[in-house]
Amino acid sequence: MSATLSDLKPKIVVRERDYEQILSLAIAVEDRVPAVSRDLQEEMDRAQIVPDSTLLSGVVRMGSRVTFRMDGKGQRQVSLVFPGEEDLSTGRVSILTPVGAALIGLSEGQVIAYSAPDGRLHQLEILTVEAPEKHGEPGPA
């Protein structure tokens, strides 16, 4: 039996509030962006959900600033945000993008493969994660 892409995905951890907001968002956009909606729902299905009070050091959550390497090349730094807050010129990437959906819940050192809209597979390696409060972003309320 061969491994599928979802079999190769690492374990992720998501706070309860992020889980609820992301799952609601994914369901709400099923008709507009079906592939990303499906990816987010699959991510939430396999996530370990923890209470909002849980300290998640080094774990990507909404508002986190993430430094990662894509396909083994260079480094990129983004903040993971909800739609309407995205601004690529300042590195604010929406959870409704393939990269955003791939990032949520990962920990420093983890690697994930994801499929881009053009069907090509990419690999993200999480290098560092700053909590929203550490870089001036308000944490999710």
Side-chain angles (χ1 to χ4, degrees):
M1 183 163 102
S2 63
T4 65
L5 186 58
S6 60
D7 293 334
L8 303 173
K9 292 190 175 185
K11 295 191 182 305
I12 62 172
V13 179
V14 178
R15 283 186 172 171
E16 236 176 329
R17 182 174 176 90
D18 280 351
Y19 170 81
E20 291 167 2
Q21 290 178 317
I22 293 167
L23 190 57
S24 293
L25 178 64
I27 291 167
V29 300
E30 276 179 319
D31 292 338
R32 284 191 338 214
V33 283
V36 175
S37 173
R38 182 192 64 242
D39 290 347
L40 278 175
Q41 289 182 56
E42 288 174 2
E43 292 296 289
M44 295 303 100
D45 284 347
R46 67 186 190 82
Q48 175 190 351
I49 311 305
V50 299
D52 291 333
S53 58
T54 304
L55 178 63
L56 291 179
S57 179
V59 175
V60 179
R61 57 190 172 120
M62 295 308 299
S64 293
R65 182 174 291 166
V66 185
T67 303
F68 63 92
R69 180 175 294 124
M70 189 175 333
D71 298 329
K73 302 173 190 164
Q75 291 183 14
R76 183 170 175 205
Q77 188 176 72
V78 300
S79 293
L80 185 60
V81 298
F82 285 105
E85 301 172 340
E86 71 269 12
D87 180 354
L88 294 179
S89 68
T90 61
R92 296 167 63 90
V93 173
S94 172
I95 187 76
L96 287 183
T97 63
V99 169
L103 290 172
I104 191 69
L106 292 174
S107 300
E108 292 174 350
Q110 284 186 310
V111 176
I112 190 169
Y114 77 95
S115 183
D118 64 5
R120 292 185 355 193
L121 281 180
H122 295 281
Q123 192 173 58
L124 295 178
E125 176 186 3
I126 306 302
L127 302 175
T128 62
V129 179
E130 287 180 49
E133 304 81 30
K134 300 246 182 196
H135 65 85
E137 296 274 341

